[in-house]
Amino acid sequence: MPSFQDRINSEIPAEVHMISGCHDVQTSADANITSFQLPNPAGRAGGACTAALLQVLYKENGGGPQDCSDQSWVEVLRAMRNNLDAKGYSQVPQLSSSRMIDVNDRMSIVNHPSGTKRAVLIGINYVGQNGELSGCHNDVKNISKYLQQCLGFQSNNMMVLMDDGMHEEPTYNNMMRAFEWIVKESQPGDTVWIHYSGHGGRVEDQNGDEEDGYDETLIPVDFQSSGQIRDDDLLKYLVKPMREGVLMTCLMDCCHSGTVLDLPYRSAKFALQCLSSNSSANSLCSNRFVADGDHVAMEKNGNFDLSHLIEVAAIGVLGAEVASFAAAAAASSGVVGEVADDCCVIL
C-alpha cells in the first residue's frame, strides 16, 4: 500500500509552496506601501501582504541577487506578521505546501541554478467597475522588480496580466491560459513564481471537498460574464500538472486565500483537530503554517480529499493558441510607469 506522501507525489509531482495573505475567512488589507520602506516602490498603494513580504526579503537580501538563504520559513512568515501587526493590520500570513517541510529550514525560492526562472504576475484593479482597487498593479511592478533585480528572473520569461491597457487583460480565459503556459514550459530544475493581487472570494462548494462548505476563488476582471476561478480549478490546471523537479512558489495577496490552492499540507494546529476526528481512508491530513505565534510545525490535513485529487483530469496541450498568447504577454511584460494611487482595498 503506497504511503500518503507517495500518493501525493504521484498526483502532485512538483514541489509547491504558497504564501497567502490571510485565513480563508479573513479579508486582506489595503496598505500605504511607503510605510513598508521598500526601495523605490511603484506608487503609494498596494496589498499589505505583498509589501510585508517584500520588506522582509529586501531586508535579508539587501537588494542583491541571492535567495533568502539565511532565513527560515518560520522567520519569514513571522517577520511578515510582525510587519503587518506593527502597522495595524490583523491579517495572518500562512504557508501551505505540496510536501511536508520543516518550517525551520531555510526558505527556498530558487531551484537548480541552471534551471530557467519563469513567472506569471497578475494584478487586477477592476478599472471602472464597482469595487475598483488601486494598488494591485503596483504590487505586480514591485514583485517584478524584486524577481528581476534580486533573483535573476528575465522579463522574457515573465507573463504579466494587468487591466491597465498596456498588458494582456486578466480575464478568466487569459489567466487560465497563463497558468497552462507556465505548466507547459516548465521543466525539471526550473523555478516558477506565481503572484496574484486582486479580489478573492468564496462560493458554495460543488463537490463536498471543503470542510467549511465553500470554495475559495480568484476573481478575474471579467468575472461578471465569465465567473470566478475556483481553488479546484487551480489545483487541476496549475498545481497537479506541474512537472516533477519544478519548484513553484505562489504569493496570493487576496481575501479568503488561506487554502486557495487546495494543497495537502498546512498547520499543525489544524492537524491536531483532524487527527481527533474520524477520517476516512481518502480524507487525509494536510498542513499550512500560520504565522500567529502559536504554530511551530506543519503536518497533514485530515480534510484533504485524495479521491477528489485523483479524479482531477490532466490538462491538454494548448498548442498554437497558448504559444501566441505567451508571445503577446511576454512582449508586454516587465515594469511600466508608476501609478500614483491612494489605496488598494481587497474585499
Side-chain angles (χ1 to χ4, degrees):
M1 179 71 179
S3 68
F4 171 83
Q5 189 58 65
D6 288 340
R7 295 159 75 193
I8 292 298
N9 292 350
S10 175
E11 298 301 324
I12 306 178
E15 182 168 351
V16 182
H17 304 144
M18 181 182 74
I19 297 174
S20 53
C22 56
H23 289 292
D24 284 344
V25 297
Q26 283 187 304
T27 55
S28 183
D30 61 320
N32 180 341
I33 59 176
T34 58
S35 67
F36 287 85
Q37 300 179 330
L38 304 183
N40 301 314
R44 299 189 301 273
C49 172
T50 299
L53 176 61
L54 285 174
Q55 184 179 26
V56 175
L57 296 180
Y58 274 123
K59 183 177 181 181
E60 175 66 18
N61 283 318
Q66 57 185 342
D67 200 2
C68 300
S69 57
D70 294 326
Q71 290 192 104
S72 67
W73 287 105
V74 65
E75 288 171 333
V76 170
L77 270 291
R78 285 181 174 161
M80 287 179 64
R81 180 71 190 100
N82 290 338
N83 290 345
L84 291 164
D85 188 59
K87 295 169 177 60
Y89 302 109
S90 61
Q91 63 193 82
V92 181
Q94 301 176 59
L95 170 69
S96 57
S97 73
S98 66
R99 300 290 183 268
M100 174 70 74
I101 60 175
D102 184 342
V103 294
N104 293 302
D105 288 344
R106 74 177 184 91
M107 178 179 176
S108 180
I109 298 174
V110 176
N111 205 354
H112 195 279
S114 64
T116 301
K117 305 178 183 75
R118 295 183 181 85
V120 170
L121 310 179
I122 303 169
I124 313 178
N125 279 349
Y126 308 90
V127 177
Q129 301 187 49
N130 291 333
E132 181 173 347
L133 307 179
S134 300
C136 300
H137 296 168
N138 294 338
D139 285 344
V140 165
K141 297 170 198 171
N142 290 327
I143 285 290
S144 175
K145 177 181 176 182
Y146 172 77
L147 293 178
Q148 293 183 69
Q149 295 187 359
C150 295
L151 297 183
F153 281 66
Q154 301 296 317
S155 62
N156 61 333
N157 287 320
M158 299 170 66
M159 188 176 291
V160 177
L161 280 65
M162 293 196 291
D163 54 337
D164 61 354
M166 293 178 283
H167 295 80
E168 287 291 324
E169 283 284 300
T171 63
Y172 184 104
N173 286 337
N174 283 352
M175 289 173 64
M176 295 303 293
R177 285 202 295 265
F179 296 146
E180 292 171 335
W181 164 77
I182 205 165
V183 165
K184 181 175 180 288
E185 293 297 321
S186 298
Q187 303 296 324
D190 288 352
T191 297
V192 169
W193 181 282
I194 306 292
H195 177 230
Y196 174 81
S197 180
H199 281 305
R202 303 173 81 209
V203 297
E204 188 173 347
D205 178 29
Q206 294 178 324
N207 57 19
D209 67 333
E210 298 285 350
E211 182 185 19
D212 61 0
Y214 291 92
D215 282 331
E216 286 68 48
T217 66
L218 306 183
I219 301 181
V221 69
D222 62 341
F223 69 96
Q224 292 183 352
S225 60
S226 299
Q228 304 177 38
I229 299 176
R230 293 174 179 260
D231 49 14
D232 296 338
D233 300 323
L234 295 171
L235 177 65
K236 177 178 179 179
Y237 293 105
L238 176 63
V239 174
K240 189 174 184 292
M242 191 66 73
R243 290 181 177 88
E244 182 179 2
V246 174
L247 176 61
M248 178 166 68
T249 303
C250 302
L251 174 61
M252 298 298 187
D253 195 351
C254 59
C255 297
H256 314 300
S257 55
T259 62
V260 75
L261 290 188
D262 272 350
L263 295 174
Y265 290 92
R266 64 183 187 190
S267 70
K269 190 172 186 179
F270 285 93
L272 290 176
Q273 295 173 355
C274 83
L275 289 172
S276 66
S277 66
N278 182 19
S279 300
S280 67
N282 286 327
S283 183
L284 306 171
C285 279
S286 77
N287 253 25
R288 84 177 169 272
F289 176 78
V290 181
D292 59 3
D294 296 329
H295 294 74
V296 295
M298 297 182 75
E299 295 178 357
K300 295 185 295 182
N301 170 19
N303 297 306
F304 186 79
D305 186 355
L306 187 60
S307 63
H308 168 61
L309 178 62
I310 293 172
E311 290 170 1
V312 172
I315 69 169
V317 177
L318 296 179
E321 182 182 14
V322 172
S324 62
F325 172 74
S332 65
S333 64
V335 180
V336 295
E338 176 176 322
V339 179
D341 295 329
D342 294 324
C343 65
C344 175
V345 183
I346 302 178
L347 300 175

